[in-house]
Amino acid sequence: MKTRGITEGAMFCALGVILTLVSYYLPFFVLLVFFIPVPMVVLGKRQGLKVSILSSIAATVLIGLFLGPLNAISFGALMLLVGCSLGFAYNRDLSPVKKAFIGILGFSILLIAVVASYEFVMGIGFTSLLFQTLEQSTSEVMTFYQTANIMDAEQLTIASEAMAKNVEMMKLALPSAFLLMPVIFGMINVVVSDMILTRIGYPIKTFTPLSQWEMPGTLKYFLMVLLLGDFIVRMFQLSSIPQIYMVTVMNFVNIIFFVMGLSLMFNYMDYKKITNKGLKVLVVVLSFLLSSIVTILGVAETYIGIRRIFRRESQIK
């Protein structure tokens, strides 16, 4: 191993440890835990798989000294499964889709391992523990309201019913969250790694800009079938299909149309030659606040082709 590889390995090892400790000890920076693989991705691109694996193992040992062996295994697995595999993908200059797939697969394996460790190693049902925590939190909030005399009896009843309904909705949304988490964090790691490596001068194969995304024809018709199926189930109130399945499927359908709605808005901004980054960030923030409207725009764009309409009109003029 070259001296440069040893030096960079030690440097990125230290960076990974620092990110881990900051995300663990400072609650405001807890989201940094999902960026822990990034140093190993950059290191893998620069020095190859062997150096990134050795650096990850060294970082795992150091984390164990600070946080104990269990935490070290969790954070070390994040570096090895996601960081090193993505670093290998970047080193081989794979396509954006393949890099995203590798990142998503790494996070999925890690998530399955966490759930399995609760179920088989600790003997604790992970979902049962999560639901129990939700219900306990709701009970504690209601107890606080009762003892503080903030609400009268009628208001307490309404609040209790609303919280119980929210807990049930969270239970229905749990499978969607489990399936979506690896996708979100895998994509985030790829996008952040692309930005860092591009900034330091590496030619990186990146995704097509969001404004240029178009839905494939096969996916378009498949989603139409799902929408019709959901309409039929709701219309005839078919109880043979568990609600949790319908909620999970429709959550993903809505997310796809939401992304297409965002793509339409960015395409329109490109059409109007709007390049202000602050305005684009504002559009994204408002889109999440008005997600239903953006999703409807995505449906309209998918089946009507709004961007083609306003661009065609501009050509006629």
Side-chain angles (χ1 to χ4, degrees), residues 37 40-41 49 52 77-111 181-191 193 207:
M40 299 307 157
V41 177
L49 182 62
S52 64
L78 195 58
M79 295 182 193
L80 285 165
L81 290 175
V82 181
C84 293
S85 58
L86 266 179
F88 176 78
Y90 275 91
N91 189 263
R92 292 300 179 92
D93 202 25
L94 299 183
S95 67
V97 174
K98 289 181 179 179
K99 289 186 294 189
F101 175 78
I102 290 172
I104 292 168
L105 181 62
F107 272 105
S108 299
I109 293 173
L110 184 62
L111 183 61
M181 279 177 60
V183 177
I184 292 176
F185 294 120
M187 291 292 294
I188 287 175
N189 273 266
V190 170
V191 171
S193 299
F207 285 102

Side-chain angles (χ1 to χ4, degrees), residues 20 24 28 52 90 102 117-118 174 176 256 260 285 287 297 317:
T20 302
Y24 186 85
F28 294 107
S52 64
Y90 275 91
I102 290 172
S117 66
Y118 274 91
L174 186 63
S176 306
I256 293 171
M260 292 310 301
V285 173
S287 296
L297 284 176
K317 293 178 181 179

